[in-house]
């Protein structure tokens, strides 16, 4: 079926994404102005647009500046309009929007210069807060508050308190939104290992909130951060960021409506204590999530390093270094087993005639045959260039030769296309049985001697070592 509309160009998709981000910027600002403000001063206790602006710049760079400016104008215009002073109101609104735009741009510049890899571990958290929060936000908070004084929106005596509220609200917005953003960037960020890891936290946080406020047990709100720290080891960073943000927003909302454990005689004391608790809690949870991610990466790197040290990269089988200890362990287990040595016939001529790439392909094919024919308890390894070793564990004597023959015949009957030519390869095998009473290393030597006998007898055959 023909499309009704032509596909959007890359530039159009970028503009659409920026417009959607600008809408989120405005909606989050409206949410803060509506739900998280204290009357009559109308102080916004959290400013999520500061975090969204930084995320927009991280994604789209300078293309986001105009959209951030537009969003800030729309959010500030209504509150900054003064009767009979239209031009002055528009001027101070534009100044506030310009400050809101330049602050995250300055933060992005500092992050790109001093923290180019982002927040990879817990030790980066302090640097991130300084670069993206303290330095640019302190500067913008002073400028925003001074703009309000110059426009006669607030008296000069209110300047320090306004700077403090701007500073705390913007930093909190950055921390909450940024941790959700970097959680979203992680692979499988939406994966839920167990549904209870999402349902139980939501139910638990909601229960603490209702009991804390409904039964006048505000101290229960102090239990939210420890619960979230425990969750840091159960859910992805994306879900943790959302749950953490919801919990912190609830505490702010409750305080803004005169509920919770942070209410004091003066509004300034209430705001300061609540914001200090929320910001410290958010930073602690963020730091724990970073530490958990670092531990996870370290464990993955360790597993990768162990795998690279133990496995042959071309065949995917064990290498000699990992094979020999496993062989030695069998001497203490009392299991019956046999050791086989396999060698591709005329392998040097294959490399010389058809190239090393074709030789590598032959090795990979034989490794796949061995993997398919052997059982889960068997040990398979590539211990040399074209030499392979097998340890067949708990296998009856009557089953050994048929299994090795199946491997030999499968390779011998397989046609391998090599640069417009059809190539056939054969395999020589020697093996020794643990029934002789020898240890694993000796059996490997005996299997190697039997392999030489197979080569001397004409190749493409199986020989058992005879004492």
């Amino acid at each position: 079926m023909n499309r009704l509309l032509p596909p959007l160009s890359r530039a159009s998709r970028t503009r659409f994404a920026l417009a959607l981000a600008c809408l989120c910027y405005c909606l989050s600002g409206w949410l803060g102005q509506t739900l998280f403000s204290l009357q009559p001063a109308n102080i916004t206790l959290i400013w999520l647009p500061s975090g969204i602006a930084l995320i927009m710049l991280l994604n789209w760079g300078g293309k986001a500046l105009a959209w951030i400016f537009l969003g800030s104008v729309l959010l500030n215009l209504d509150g900054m309009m003064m009767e009979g002073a239209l031009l002055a109101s528009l001027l101070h609104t534009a100044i506030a929007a310009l400050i809101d735009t330049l602050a995250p741009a300055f933060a992005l510049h500092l992050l790109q210069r001093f923290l180019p890899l982002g927040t990879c571990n817990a030790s980066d958290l302090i640097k991130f807060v300084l670069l993206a929060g303290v330095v640019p936000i302190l500067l913008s908070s002073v400028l925003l508050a001074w703009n309000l004084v110059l426009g006669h929106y607030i008296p000069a005596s209110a300047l320090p308190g306004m700077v403090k509220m701007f500073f705390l609200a913007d930093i909190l917005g950055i921390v909450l939104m940024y941790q959700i953003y970097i959680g979203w960037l992680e692979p499988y960020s939406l994966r839920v290992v167990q549904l209870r890891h999402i349902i139980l936290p939501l139910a638990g946080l909601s229960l603490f909130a209702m009991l804390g406020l409904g039964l006048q047990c505000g101290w229960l709100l102090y239990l939210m951060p420890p619960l979230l720290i425990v969750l840091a080891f159960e859910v992805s960073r994306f879900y943790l960021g959302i749950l953490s943000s919801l919990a912190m927003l609830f505490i702010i909302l409750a305080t803004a409506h005169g509920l919770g454990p942070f209410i004091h005689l003066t509004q300034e004391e209430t705001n300061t204590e609540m914001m200090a608790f929320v910001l410290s809690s958010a930073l602690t949870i963020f730091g724990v999530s970073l530490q958990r991610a670092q531990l996870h990466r370290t464990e993955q790197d360790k597993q990768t390093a162990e795998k690279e040290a133990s496995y042959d990269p071309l065949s995917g089988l064990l290498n000699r270094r990992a094979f020999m200890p496993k062989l030695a362990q069998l001497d203490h287990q009392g299991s019956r087993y046999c050791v086989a040595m396999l060698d591709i016939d005329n392998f040097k001529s294959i490399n010389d005639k058809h190239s090393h790439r074709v030789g590598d392909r032959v090795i990979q094919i034989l490794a796949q045959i061995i993997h398919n024919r052997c059982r889960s308890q068997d040990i398979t390894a590539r211990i040399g260039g074209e030499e392979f070793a097998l340890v067949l564990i708990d296998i009856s004597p009557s089953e050994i030769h048929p299994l090795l023959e199946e491997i030999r015949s499968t390779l011998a009957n397989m046609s391998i296309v090599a640069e417009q030519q059809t190539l056939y390869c054969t395999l020589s095998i020697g093996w020794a049985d643990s029934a002789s009473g020898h240890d694993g290393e000796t059996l490997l030597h005996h299997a190697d001697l039997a392999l030489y006998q197979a080569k001397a007898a004409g190749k493409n055959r199986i020989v058992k070592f005879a004492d």
Side-chain angles (χ1 to χ4, degrees):
M1 184 176 67
N2 295 329
R3 294 183 178 181
L4 297 178
L5 296 174
L8 292 175
S9 64
R10 182 175 181 180
S12 298
R13 291 197 299 269
T14 300
R15 285 193 294 269
F16 177 78
L18 282 168
L20 187 61
C22 182
L23 178 62
C24 294
Y25 181 98
C26 293
L27 289 176
S28 65
W30 172 82
L31 181 69
Q33 293 172 340
T34 304
L35 298 179
F36 303 103
S37 296
L38 293 179
Q39 302 296 336
N42 199 38
I43 301 173
T44 302
L45 296 174
I46 182 171
W47 193 241
L48 296 177
S50 60
I52 294 177
L54 179 60
I55 293 171
M56 291 172 67
L57 289 170
L58 286 170
N59 275 287
W60 297 290
K63 296 178 181 179
L65 291 173
W67 293 91
I68 295 171
F69 181 84
L70 174 62
S72 182
V73 168
L74 294 175
L75 286 174
N76 289 308
L77 188 60
D78 184 59
M80 298 189 72
M81 290 300 296
M82 295 185 295
E83 188 175 353
L86 178 61
L87 291 179
S89 299
L90 292 176
L91 175 62
H92 288 290
T93 301
I95 292 174
L98 183 62
I99 296 170
D100 285 340
T101 304
L102 294 180
F106 184 38
L108 178 64
H109 172 72
L110 293 176
L111 289 174
Q112 289 176 337
R113 182 169 182 180
F114 299 105
L115 199 63
L117 299 179
T119 50
C120 298
N121 49 61
S123 62
D124 295 329
L125 180 58
I126 294 178
K127 187 181 291 187
F128 170 79
V129 172
L130 288 173
L131 297 176
V134 174
V135 176
I137 297 304
L138 181 59
L139 179 60
S140 67
S141 298
V142 172
L143 294 176
L144 286 170
W146 188 248
N147 181 49
L148 294 180
V149 172
L150 293 178
H152 304 291
Y153 294 96
I154 60 172
S157 60
L159 180 66
M162 189 62 66
V163 170
K164 180 173 67 176
M165 292 310 302
F166 280 149
F167 178 74
L168 292 174
D170 281 10
I171 285 188
L172 185 57
I174 288 175
V175 171
L176 294 183
M177 297 307 299
Y178 182 75
Q179 66 175 332
I180 295 176
Y181 170 70
I182 64 172
W184 170 259
L185 293 180
E186 282 192 334
Y188 311 109
S189 59
L190 297 179
R191 176 183 292 177
V192 179
V193 179
Q194 295 187 14
L195 194 59
R196 62 183 177 85
H197 290 162
I198 299 297
I199 296 177
L200 292 181
L202 285 173
L205 291 172
S206 301
L207 180 62
F208 281 4
M210 290 186 294
L211 291 177
L213 301 181
L215 301 179
Q216 300 299 315
C217 298
W219 57 269
L220 285 174
L221 298 184
Y222 289 107
L223 299 179
M224 286 186 173
L227 176 61
L228 290 166
I229 290 175
V230 173
L231 286 175
F233 297 91
E234 300 293 338
V235 300
S236 70
R237 295 167 69 186
F238 175 69
Y239 290 118
L240 179 66
I242 292 178
L243 293 171
S244 172
S245 297
L246 290 175
M248 298 304 109
L249 290 175
F250 175 81
I251 293 174
I252 296 173
L253 180 62
T255 304
H257 289 80
L259 301 172
F262 305 106
I263 306 302
H264 293 277
L265 293 178
T266 65
Q267 189 177 90
E268 183 175 357
E269 291 178 348
T270 297
N271 296 344
T272 301
E273 184 173 333
M274 181 272 298
M275 293 295 286
F277 173 77
V278 170
L279 183 57
S280 63
S281 298
L283 288 173
T284 301
I285 296 164
F286 190 14
V288 170
S289 72
L290 290 173
Q291 183 66 21
R292 179 236 179 178
Q294 182 181 359
L295 292 174
H296 182 65
R297 287 194 300 271
T298 301
E299 182 63 25
Q300 284 186 324
D301 292 343
K302 180 181 178 181
Q303 292 176 358
T304 300
E306 290 177 351
K307 183 175 181 179
E308 290 177 350
S310 301
Y311 287 87
D312 169 56
L314 181 61
S315 65
L317 305 179
L318 290 173
N319 56 28
R320 186 181 187 91
R321 177 182 177 183
F323 172 75
M324 295 306 295
K326 288 182 176 292
L327 180 61
Q329 290 174 3
L330 293 175
D331 297 329
H332 307 288
Q333 295 178 1
S335 301
R336 177 167 181 168
Y337 62 93
C338 86
V339 179
M341 286 285 293
L342 299 78
D343 187 273
I344 301 172
D345 297 327
N346 306 313
F347 187 72
K348 185 178 183 302
S349 65
I350 294 174
N351 281 331
D352 294 341
K353 184 177 180 180
H354 299 284
S355 79
H356 286 277
R357 185 173 67 176
V358 174
D360 289 346
R361 178 62 181 152
V362 172
I363 288 175
Q364 291 174 332
I365 290 173
L366 176 56
Q368 188 61 50
I369 293 172
I370 292 172
H371 176 77
N372 292 340
R373 297 300 185 272
C374 290
R375 304 157 305 162
S376 60
Q377 69 265 34
D378 297 332
I379 304 173
T380 60
R382 179 189 176 203
I383 60 174
E386 69 273 21
E387 290 185 334
F388 293 76
L390 305 182
V391 179
L392 307 176
I393 303 173
D394 291 330
I395 186 170
S396 65
S398 61
E399 295 176 323
I400 297 173
H401 192 279
L403 190 151
L404 296 177
E405 173 60 23
E406 189 175 359
I407 294 174
R408 186 206 64 78
S409 61
T410 300
L411 180 66
N413 295 324
M414 180 176 292
S415 59
I416 302 172
V417 177
E419 298 179 355
Q420 300 180 351
Q421 297 183 30
T422 300
L423 174 67
Y424 289 91
C425 299
T426 60
L427 185 67
S428 297
I429 303 175
W431 65 279
D433 196 346
S434 65
S436 61
H438 297 292
D439 61 18
E441 189 170 351
T442 302
L443 291 177
L444 182 65
H445 175 64
H446 289 170
D448 196 36
L449 294 177
L451 174 63
Y452 279 110
Q453 295 176 17
K455 293 282 189 181
K459 304 177 183 179
N460 192 26
R461 65 193 62 230
I462 301 171
V463 173
K464 179 183 178 182
F465 178 79
D467 290 320

